[in-house]
Amino acid sequence: MSKMFDVMVLGTGEAGIYAAYELALKCPGARVLVVDQGADIYSRTCPIVTGKVKACINCKTCGTMCGFGGAGAFSDGKFNFTTAFGGWLTDFLDEREVMELIDYVDALNVKHGATTEVYSTSTPEARALEKKTLEYDLHLLQARCKHLGTENNLRILTDIYETIREKHTFLFNTAVTGIRAKDGIYTLVTEKGEEFSAPYLIAGPGRSGAEWFSKQCKALGLELLNNQVDIGVRVELPATVFEHITDVVYESKLVYRTKQYGDQVRTFCMNPYGHVVAENVEGINTVNGHSYADPALQSKNTNFALLVSNRFTSPFNEPYRYGKHIASLSNMLAGGVLVQRFGDLVSGIRTNEHRMSKSFVRPTLTAAVPGDLSLALPKRQLDDIIEMIYALDKLAPGTANYDTLLYGAEVKFYSARIKLSHELETALPGFFAVGDGAGVTRGLAQAGASGVKAARVVAARLNGQ
């Protein structure tokens, strides 16, 4: 294999995939290397999903977080057409261009089998819901949304992989340990000691590679800005409680500012009739949610995250480590993901197996261990979450029921944001940073858009434009 390429794409999450796709379209003659520490779309697996184990065994490379498709491969595939949330691309590009890029990524998805059905924000029901939320001091961030479905998301990604796999050189199960820059050439050093070089590097390290990527950027002398870390829980309750909301706007982003602290709490990743799942981020067990499009695969519950956004100022500059520490406390207490009934939490009672057996809400993540979230989450974040649940109960009566389940900890990690140009290029010419792991996006739509943007800039330069 040649060790010299025209372009290297680091990471095959959403951003890396669409960067590779666009390079194949815009400069088909370019020699492109695509590298990921995980497996291809056919070989990604998790021993929990396959039924070999009940709890996370800390695989060296997490099959649900790494590989072709990244962390989004096993998500329920919510694709939001908006710049109001899902990333910060408008800090670099104008809103019109971002929306054009999002629509372009959606068109590629449709070409590979994605649904054309869209949840609209312009229906009378959606407008009435937005007004209703304001009555309870909640704010509904609306956006056109597609629900691809976990099973369909995998099928779309597989079709995309088959389209581009022969057009580039793919290296899977290849951990990159370092990035070097010298005389306008970038070199990726692998765990096995191999070195691959190119004058252009598009880095989309994904959430699992966020902390590693930050360290690499610091070593290269690139300026980093502190990004936020979102800490909270995943709520699970009967689907009927939120049915009047999710039937109208599938992905309901509800934002609330707490009266006690003035902190912002938001719902995230709403999964109607979904399943709560565990994730492994660099050895730390966190929680997430999935939802299938096929009714036969759905549950009777809805789950969603409640997240408190934390943005730190000087002298503290390690929000990523802070988030990992919080998540590790719940791991220490439960040996993995912890679950507690809401009524037990507000009563100051630890949920145990006996109390859980009496619950009317049956957990879809059966491997979660009953416990006490107050021993893991900081008091401020926990107070914020409890206040938010009572606020949601006014909009969706039943949210604050005793048996509502809270899983913890749910932590969303974002890399410290690198200073980028309007072309998503770092201070090092030819080195681009895209996607969630680079701290510029936090969702499928904007991540894919960022990959397309960087690839177009590189392609134009390679084509002498």
Side-chain angles (χ1 to χ4, degrees), residues 3 46 50 54 73 87 106 146 174 181 257 259 347 384 431 455:
K3 299 297 180 74
C46 171
T50 57
K54 292 185 177 181
D106 174 60
K146 280 188 177 182
T174 302
R257 189 167 299 282
K259 304 299 183 293
S347 300
D384 286 337
F431 182 8

Side-chain angles (χ1 to χ4, degrees), residues 42-309:
Y42 295 110
S43 305
R44 291 186 64 177
T45 185
C46 171
I48 298 177
V49 175
T50 57
K52 294 180 180 179
V53 298
K54 292 185 177 181
C56 180
I57 57 174
N58 297 317
C59 299
K60 182 180 178 181
T61 301
C62 179
T64 59
M65 295 294 290
C66 304
F68 193 90
F74 295 103
S75 74
D76 73 321
K78 281 183 284 289
F79 194 94
N80 293 301
F81 298 80
T82 182
T83 60
F85 51 85
W88 302 271
L89 273 184
T90 50
D91 288 357
F92 311 101
L93 313 172
D94 65 55
E95 184 173 354
R96 180 178 177 180
E97 183 177 7
V98 175
M99 289 307 301
E100 286 175 348
L101 288 166
I102 289 174
D103 287 336
Y104 177 78
V105 172
D106 174 60
L108 292 180
N109 284 339
V110 171
K111 180 180 178 181
H112 293 281
T115 180
T116 56
E117 181 183 353
V118 179
Y119 286 83
S120 173
T121 62
S122 59
T123 64
E125 293 83 3
R127 291 196 296 270
L129 179 60
E130 185 174 15
K131 180 179 181 296
K132 191 69 175 178
T133 61
L134 292 172
E135 294 179 17
Y136 304 117
D137 204 14
L138 291 160
H139 300 268
L140 178 63
L141 302 181
Q142 294 217 58
R144 289 184 298 123
C145 175
K146 280 188 177 182
H147 175 223
L148 304 179
T150 302
E151 75 280 33
N152 295 329
N153 199 31
L154 285 169
R155 179 173 49 78
I156 294 163
L157 287 168
T158 301
D159 200 58
I160 288 174
Y161 178 56
E162 284 299 325
T163 300
I164 63 175
R165 67 183 299 182
E166 301 299 330
K167 302 181 187 301
H168 303 316
T169 300
F170 283 87
L171 280 181
F172 291 106
N173 301 309
T174 302
V176 173
T177 56
I179 302 173
R180 295 204 305 258
K182 184 179 180 181
D183 300 329
I185 298 296
Y186 299 97
T187 300
L188 300 180
V189 182
T190 74
E191 191 175 44
K192 298 177 181 178
E194 297 175 297
E195 296 185 2
F196 302 94
S197 302
Y200 292 102
L201 172 61
I202 300 175
R207 291 179 183 176
S208 62
E211 187 175 27
W212 172 86
F213 187 60
S214 291
K215 291 177 180 177
Q216 295 300 312
C217 290
K218 288 179 182 178
L220 291 168
L222 295 172
E223 182 180 351
L224 299 176
L225 304 173
N226 270 353
N227 216 347
Q228 71 188 52
V229 59
D230 295 339
I231 295 172
V233 298
R234 183 153 289 267
V235 180
E236 185 170 40
L237 37 64
T240 52
V241 174
F242 265 77
E243 215 166 36
H244 64 295
I245 298 174
T246 56
D247 283 354
V248 176
V249 284
Y250 185 86
E251 172 70 316
S252 51
K253 299 277 189 181
L254 294 160
V255 181
Y256 176 74
R257 189 167 299 282
T258 63
K259 304 299 183 293
Q260 185 172 3
Y261 300 111
D263 294 336
Q264 181 174 292
V265 190
R266 62 189 174 91
T267 63
F268 183 81
C269 188
M270 184 81 65
N271 294 288
Y273 315 102
H275 299 264
V276 178
V277 297
E279 287 184 343
N280 185 314
V281 181
E282 298 178 354
I284 303 295
N285 291 314
T286 60
V287 65
N288 209 330
H290 292 173
S291 183
Y292 296 95
D294 183 353
L297 300 174
Q298 295 174 351
S299 77
K300 296 180 180 179
N301 295 346
T302 284
N303 69 77
F304 56 89
L306 283 184
L307 299 174
V308 183
S309 295

